[in-house]
C-alpha cells in the first residue's frame, strides 16, 4: 500500500491558451491510484488547470484521501537566487513573491517583464534570457551573447542528471524558464489554500504534498500514436502510485535543499519497474446521455459495451496452467497443425490419382506408422500406411485398406481415386504464424487442445477478475444463523458469489453491512484494496437508506441507471477509487436478473473477454400474457414438451421461482400479446454463462 491514496501528475506549460483541441505542449494531468492511471486530462490554460486541481484536492480532502501531486517545473532556483530576490532564506518566499507580481490571462501574461525587472536588479544581462515577444524589453537579452549570469547555471539536482533544461532560459526548445515563472504562483496559491507541503522544503506529513517531477528522468520516447505529454503524466502517475510506502518514503527522504530536488533521482530503476498495470476506469465511465429517463435495455447494454475495457493485469503462463484464463493477446501458431502431410486412414499410399478400373501396384515391405520419420516410396509403388503417419516422400494419395486386396506382394483396388484422397495437408487446420486463438478467448478444454496442437508453450493471459460481493441492509442476517422474525436471511450474497464463480471470475466475499453510511464506505474501501470490481445488492435506489447510491453520488462518480426493465429497480453504477461498482437492487429476483443481463457481460469486458451475447431461441409459449410497451420483461421460465412455461407468479420476492426456472423468457421493449403457441424468446441460464 502506498502512503498516498491518490497521485496526480501534471505537465505544466508557460505559454498561452492552447485551444479546445487536445495537443502537445499544453497542460496535461493524470490521476492514478494503486498502480492504475485514469485517462489523462487536457487542460487548455493555467486558469482551467488551477480550477481542475482545486476541485480534485477538495474532493480528495473531503474523502480523507492523501494526495501526492507532481509538477514538471523546478520548485527552486540555483543557490542564492531566492534569497537575493526576497531577502529571506525560505525558498517558498519566492513562490509568494512571484505570485504577487505575475499577471496571467489565457492569452497574455507579464512573465518576460517580470524576468526583465529581476535582471535589471543584477545589471540587466541575466540571469534570465530569451524574449518571446516582438517588442524589446530593457534588461532581457534575446540571446546568450553578452549574457551574464551572477548565479550558477544549474541546480545540484540538474548536475546529477543529464538532459534537463536551464530555469534561466525563457523560451526555445525544451526550455523550462517560462513554465517555472508561470507555475510557481499557482503552486503558491494551491499550497496556501490546501495547507500543502512543498517537497523537499517542508516535512511531507501533510494530506497534500507537492513534488517536482521530470518525466524524462525515467521515461523514453512516447508510443507513436500518443501525445507525449499525455503519455508521460499517465506513466509517471501510474508508476508512482504503484510504489510501496517504504520505497516512496526512501525517494522522498532527501536533504531540504533550498534549490529543490527532482523526485526519483537515484531511484530510476524502481520507478520504471513500478509501472505495469492497465489504466483504470474514469469516474464518468457510467455517465448516461442527459435527458433520458428510462433507458431501454439494449441502449444500456450498448453503453456498457462501449465504455468498459479490461482492468486486470496480464501475465504469462505455461499452456498447462492457462485453463480458465482469458487470453491477453492473440496466440500465433508457432508451427502448423498438422505439421506434415499425413494420412487420415489406414490403407496404402502411392503417388497420384487413378482412373476408373482395376489397378495393381507392387507393395513395399514394411509400413509407415504414426510417429515414423517419413521414408521414400519409388514411383509406381505403394506402401502400407497407418492413420496419422506422415506421408513418405513419393506418396500423396491413400486408398482405404478395406478397398484393397493384397496378393503376392501386389495390391489391387478399383478406381477412380482422386489425387490427395484420404490425406491431410500440412497446416490445413492452422498454418504456422496464423492466429490460432484471438485475444479475449477464455481457455477451455477445446482451446487447450488447439494450443497444444500448434505447439504453444506459454500464453499471455489476464489475471483473474476479482469481484467483491457485498450485501447491504440492516434487516439482513447470515444464512443459517438463528434469527428473530423481523430479520431476513441474506439470499443474494451466496447467489451472486456463485454466479461470479460460474462466470469464471474470482469471487471475494465482503459479507454484509448495515444501512449506515460510514460502514458502507469502509467496506467500499476494503473492496477497492482486494478486488477489481464490486457488486452490491440493496440500497441502490434514491431513498433515505440507500447508502450505496448516496456514497457513490457524494464521490461524484455515480449514475443511477433507470433501465426500462422488469424485474429491476434502478441500478447504481459508479466508480469508487477507480473500482467499478454495480449496485444491484436488493430484491433477489431482480438482483439475479440484473446480474445475468447487465453485470455478467460488463464483467466479461472488465476481465478482458469478448462481450458475450447470450444466445436464446424462439419457442412456442405455453402461457398467455398481455405486455405493455416501454420496458423489457424477463419471466422465469422453463421448457416442457417443447413449450416455454413461465412461473405462476411474477412477484419479484418469489425466490422459489428462480429455482423452478431453467432460464428466462425475454419479452421485448414493445407491446406484445402472447397466447399459447406464440413464439417467444427463451434464454437458458446456461447461455448467460451459468
Ligand atoms: P433494497 O433494494 O435495499 O430497497 O431492498 C429491496 C428488498 O430486497 C427489500 O425487501 C430487502 O429486504 C430485500 N433484500 C435486500 N437485500 C437482500 C438480500 N441480500 N437477501 C434477500 N433479500 C434482500
Ligand atoms: Mg435495503
Amino acid at each position: 500500500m502506498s502512503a498516498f491514496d491518490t497521485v496526480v501528475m501534471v505537465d505544466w506549460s508557460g505559454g498561452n491558451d492552447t485551444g479546445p483541441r487536445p495537443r502537445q505542449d499544453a497542460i496535461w494531468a493524470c490521476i492514478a491510484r494503486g498502480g492504475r492511471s485514469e485517462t489523462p486530462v487536457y487542460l487548455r490554460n493555467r486558469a482551467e488547470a488551477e480550477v481542475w486541481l482545486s476541485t480534485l484536492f477538495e474532493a480528495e480532502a473531503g474523502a480523507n484521501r492523501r494526495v501526492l501531486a507532481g509538477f514538471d517545473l523546478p520548485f527552486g532556483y540555483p543557490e542564492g537566487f531566492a534569497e537575493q530576490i526576497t531577502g529571506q532564506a525560505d525558498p517558498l518566499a519566492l513562490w509568494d513573491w512571484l505570485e504577487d507580481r505575475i499577471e496571467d490571462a489565457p492569452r497574455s501574461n507579464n512573465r518576460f517583464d517580470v524576468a526583465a525587472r529581476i535582471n535589471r536588479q543584477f545589471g540587466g544581462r541575466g540571469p534570465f534570457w530569451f524574449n518571446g515577444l516582438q517588442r524589446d524589453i530593457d534588461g532581457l537579452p534575446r540571446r546568450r551573447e553578452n549574457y551574464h549570469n551572477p548565479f550558477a547555471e544549474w541546480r545540484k539536482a540538474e548536475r546529477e542528471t543529464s538532459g534537463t533544461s536551464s530555469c534561466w532560459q525563457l523560451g526555445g526548445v525544451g526550455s523550462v524558464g517560462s513554465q517555472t515563472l508561470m507555475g510557481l504562483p499557482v503552486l503558491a496559491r494551491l499550497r496556501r489554500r490546501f495547507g500543502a507541503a512543498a517537497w523537499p522544503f517542508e516535512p511531507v506529513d501533510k494530506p497534500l504534498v507537492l513534488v517536482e517531477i521530470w518525466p524524462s528522468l525515467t521515461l523514453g520516447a512516447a508510443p507513436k500514436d500518443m501525445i507525449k505529454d499525455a503519455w508521460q503524466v499517465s506513466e509517471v502517475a501510474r508508476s508512482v502510485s504503484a510504489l510501496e510506502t517504504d520505497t516512496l518514503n526512501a525517494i522522498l527522504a532527501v536533504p531540504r535543499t533550498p534549490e529543490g530536488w527532482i523526485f526519483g533521482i537515484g531511484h530510476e530503476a524502481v520507478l520504471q519497474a513500478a509501472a505495469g498495470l492497465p489504466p483504470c476506469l474514469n469516474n464518468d465511465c457510467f455517465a448516461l446521455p442527459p435527458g433520458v429517463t428510462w433507458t431501454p435495455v439494449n441502449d444500456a447494454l450498448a453503453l456498457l459495451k462501449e465504455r468498459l475495457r479490461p482492468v486486470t493485469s496480464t501475465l504469462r503462463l505455461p499452456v498447462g496452467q492457462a485453463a480458465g484464463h482469458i487470453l491477453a493477446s492473440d496466440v500465433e501458431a508457432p508451427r502448423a497443425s498438422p505439421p506434415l502431410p499425413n494420412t487420415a486412414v489406414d490403407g496404402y499410399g502411392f503417388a497420384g490419382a487413378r482412373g476408373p478400373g482395376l489397378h495393381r501396384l507392387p507393395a513395399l515391405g514394411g509400413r509407415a506408422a504414426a510417429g515414423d520419420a517419413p521414408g521414400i516410396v519409388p514411383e509406381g509403388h505403394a506402401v502400407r500406411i497407418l492413420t496419422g503417419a506422415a506421408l513418405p516422400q513419393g506418396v500423396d494419395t491413400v486408398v482405404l485398406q478395406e478397398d484393397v486386396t493384397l496378393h503376392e506382394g501386389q495390391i489391387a483396388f478399383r478406381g477412380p481415386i482422386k489425387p490427395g484422397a484420404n490425406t491431410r495437408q500440412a497446416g490445413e487446420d492452422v498454418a504456422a504464424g496464423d492466429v490460432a486463438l484471438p485475444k479475449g478467448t477464455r481457455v477451455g478444454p477445446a482451446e487447450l487442445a488447439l494450443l497444444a496442437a500448434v505447439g504453444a508453450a506459454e500464453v499471455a493471459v489476464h489475471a483473474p477478475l476479482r469481484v467483491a460481493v457485498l450485501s447491504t441492509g440492516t434487516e439482513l442476517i447470515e444464512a443459517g444463523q438463528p434469527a428473530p422474525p423481523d430479520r431476513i436471511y441474506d439470499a443474494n450474497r451466496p447467489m451472486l458469489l456463485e454466479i461470479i464463480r460460474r462466470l469464471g471470475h474470482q469471487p471475494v466475499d465482503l459479507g454484509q453491512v448495515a444501512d449506515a453510511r460510514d460502514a458502507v464506505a469502509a467496506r467500499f474501501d476494503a473492496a477497492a484494496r482486494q478486488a477489481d470490481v464490486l457488486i452490491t445488492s440493496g440500497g441502490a435506489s434514491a431513498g433515505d437508506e440507500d447508502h450505496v447510491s448516496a456514497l457513490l453520488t457524494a464521490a461524484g462518480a455515480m449514475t443511477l441507471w433507470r433501465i426500462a426493465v422488469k424485474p429491476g429497480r434502478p441500478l447504481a453504477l459508479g466508480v469508487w477509487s477507480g473500482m467499478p461498482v454495480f449496485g444491484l437492487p436488493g430484491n433477489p429476483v431482480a438482483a439475479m436478473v440484473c446480474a445475468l443481463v447487465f453485470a455478467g457481460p460488463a464483467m466479461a469486458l472488465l476481465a478482458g473477454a469478448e462481450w458475450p451475447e447470450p444466445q436464446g431461441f424462439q419457442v412456442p409459449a405455453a402461457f398467455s400474457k398481455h405486455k405493455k410497451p416501454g420496458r423489457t420483461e424477463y419471466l422465469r421460465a422453463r421448457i416442457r414438451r417443447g413449450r416455454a412455461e413461465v412461473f405462476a407468479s411474477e412477484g419479484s420476492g418469489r425466490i422459489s421461482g428462480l429455482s423452478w426456472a431453467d432460464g428466462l423468457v425475454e419479452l421485448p421493449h414493445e407491446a406484445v400479446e402472447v397466447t399459447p403457441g406464440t413464439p417467444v424468446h427463451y434464454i437458458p441460464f446456461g447461455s448467460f454463462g451459468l
Side-chain angles (χ1 to χ4, degrees):
M1 278 309 292
S2 166
F4 293 90
D5 305 286
T6 302
V7 168
V8 58
M9 291 295 162
V10 187
D11 188 315
W12 203 249
S13 161
N16 287 340
D17 185 292
T18 39
R21 255 201 37 229
R23 45 164 280 193
Q24 177 125 3
D25 294 322
I27 302 176
W28 284 90
C30 188
I31 297 172
R33 296 186 179 97
R36 304 222 184 122
S37 51
E38 297 187 1
T39 309
V41 177
Y42 169 72
L43 298 159
R44 58 186 285 181
N45 60 52
R46 284 177 294 277
E48 195 174 307
E50 193 172 342
V51 169
W52 185 87
L53 286 163
S54 301
T55 310
L56 171 70
F57 295 159
E58 219 154 63
E60 298 303 288
N64 249 325
R65 293 203 270 238
R66 290 195 76 208
V67 181
L68 183 74
F71 296 81
D72 72 331
L73 54 99
F75 281 12
Y77 285 85
E79 186 96 67
F81 174 75
E83 199 167 352
Q84 288 232 22
I85 298 289
T86 65
Q88 294 180 52
D90 179 5
L92 290 167
L94 183 67
W95 289 25
D96 295 334
W97 189 93
L98 284 170
E99 200 228 329
D100 280 340
R101 286 157 184 82
I102 288 286
E103 292 161 21
D104 198 2
R107 307 222 154 268
S108 67
N109 62 68
N110 67 346
R111 67 188 193 271
F112 294 109
D113 297 289
V114 170
R117 181 134 48 103
I118 293 173
N119 276 5
R120 290 199 294 272
Q121 250 179 273
F122 302 103
R125 287 160 51 209
F128 292 104
W129 67 279
F130 191 97
N131 178 355
L133 304 179
Q134 297 275 311
R135 66 182 160 91
D136 287 329
I137 304 175
D138 181 25
L140 185 64
R142 284 194 182 272
R143 279 170 286 279
R144 276 178 68 111
E145 297 153 16
N146 243 334
Y147 168 71
H148 173 75
N149 183 357
F151 303 97
E153 192 65 21
W154 306 100
R155 298 180 297 156
K156 182 164 183 293
E158 285 148 358
R159 291 195 299 273
E160 293 210 1
T161 60
S162 62
T164 48
S165 315
S166 165
C167 57
W168 306 120
Q169 185 186 340
L170 298 180
V173 179
S175 63
V176 302
S178 281
Q179 72 192 56
T180 311
L181 290 179
M182 301 311 296
L184 293 181
V186 176
L187 293 187
R189 281 192 293 278
L190 291 173
R191 171 175 167 266
R192 209 178 308 125
R193 178 163 164 202
F194 294 98
W199 176 85
F201 312 132
E202 301 174 292
V204 294
D205 54 5
K206 298 278 176 56
L208 172 62
V209 174
L210 311 176
V211 300
E212 173 187 338
I213 57 159
W214 180 51
S216 304
L217 182 68
T218 50
L219 297 180
K224 67 175 182 312
D225 52 348
M226 285 199 68
I227 294 177
K228 177 180 149 233
D229 308 353
W231 178 77
Q232 287 195 336
V233 287
S234 159
E235 286 302 296
V236 176
R238 182 198 303 200
S239 48
V240 172
S241 77
L243 295 172
E244 298 290 329
T245 301
D246 289 352
T247 316
L248 188 60
N249 287 341
I251 296 176
L252 290 173
V254 301
R256 288 186 196 172
T257 159
E259 289 187 331
W261 195 253
I262 295 169
F263 180 90
I265 287 182
H267 302 269
E268 290 83 349
V270 184
L271 277 170
Q272 282 159 341
L277 283 168
C280 68
L281 300 171
N282 280 6
N283 276 355
D284 61 358
C285 75
F286 292 121
L288 286 176
V292 178
T293 43
W294 289 99
T295 309
V297 167
N298 286 339
D299 294 6
L301 290 173
L303 265 168
L304 290 175
K305 185 174 179 180
E306 177 192 309
R307 302 278 177 80
L308 299 176
R309 48 178 174 63
V311 295
T312 51
S313 56
T314 60
L315 62 155
R316 295 193 69 80
L317 284 180
V319 167
Q321 293 169 27
H325 283 87
I326 294 164
L327 295 176
S329 43
D330 291 348
V331 179
E332 287 176 9
R335 69 170 205 183
S337 174
L340 292 173
N342 63 57
T343 171
V345 298
D346 290 346
Y348 287 84
F350 48 87
R354 292 293 186 279
L358 189 67
H359 301 279
R360 290 181 199 282
L361 287 173
L364 300 179
R367 56 171 209 177
D372 290 349
I376 299 173
V377 174
E379 178 74 53
H381 288 69
V383 69
R384 181 157 159 68
I385 190 165
L386 304 178
T387 305
L391 299 185
Q393 203 181 312
V395 172
D396 60 13
T397 302
V398 176
V399 58
L400 268 174
Q401 174 162 316
E402 294 87 319
D403 297 341
V404 170
T405 52
L406 179 66
H407 184 66
E408 289 180 356
Q410 282 218 324
I411 61 162
F413 62 92
R414 292 203 166 268
I417 184 161
K418 289 185 187 152
N422 298 317
T423 65
R424 308 170 180 138
Q425 303 304 304
E428 75 173 23
D429 188 16
V430 183
D434 275 4
V435 173
L437 287 170
K439 74 171 174 194
T441 307
R442 195 182 281 278
V443 180
E447 288 71 27
L448 288 174
L450 181 54
L451 289 169
V454 298
E458 256 194 5
V459 285
V461 299
H462 284 279
L465 186 75
R466 299 163 304 168
V467 186
V469 176
L470 176 66
S471 290
T472 75
T474 304
E475 74 277 29
L476 299 181
I477 194 156
E478 188 74 13
Q481 299 296 310
D486 55 347
R487 307 288 294 274
I488 64 163
Y489 287 116
D490 179 1
N492 290 343
R493 209 166 92 250
M495 170 183 77
L496 291 170
L497 288 167
E498 179 60 10
I499 288 177
I500 289 158
R501 195 189 62 78
R502 291 197 181 190
L503 294 180
H505 311 301
Q506 209 173 82
V508 178
D509 188 353
L510 278 190
Q512 62 202 36
V513 64
D515 292 314
R517 192 75 45 104
D518 289 350
V520 177
R523 294 299 173 95
F524 278 21
D525 285 337
R529 285 193 295 271
Q530 299 169 50
D532 306 302
V533 191
L534 171 62
I535 296 191
T536 64
S537 70
S541 302
D544 291 351
E545 294 295 352
D546 288 323
H547 298 288
V548 170
S549 50
L551 272 173
L552 291 170
T553 306
M558 194 203 72
T559 312
L560 207 54
W561 281 42
R562 295 180 194 281
I563 301 174
V565 62
K566 183 186 172 192
R569 300 255 294 284
L571 293 186
L573 299 196
V575 177
W576 186 266
S577 291
M579 167 189 68
V581 182
F582 286 85
L584 303 180
N587 222 298
V589 176
M592 177 154 164
V593 169
C594 291
L596 295 183
V597 175
F598 301 106
M603 286 190 287
L605 285 193
L606 294 170
E610 292 287 309
W611 177 265
E613 304 271 1
Q615 296 300 308
F617 41 90
Q618 299 289 109
V619 279
F623 62 97
S624 300
K625 184 173 165 66
H626 169 77
K627 182 197 156 290
K628 289 186 288 221
R631 68 182 181 197
T632 304
E633 292 190 16
Y634 293 94
L635 309 177
R636 282 149 283 176
R638 64 186 192 187
I639 295 190
R640 290 293 182 272
R641 289 174 292 279
R643 290 172 164 236
E645 301 178 344
V646 296
F647 189 57
S649 159
E650 288 186 21
S652 61
R654 300 285 297 272
I655 304 173
S656 61
L658 286 174
S659 166
W660 173 92
D662 297 328
L664 300 172
V665 158
E666 183 188 63
L667 298 178
H669 195 77
E670 300 74 38
V672 281
E673 193 63 52
V674 180
T675 51
T678 308
V680 290
H681 190 65
Y682 173 79
I683 310 172
F685 285 142
S687 288
F688 288 104
L690 297 192

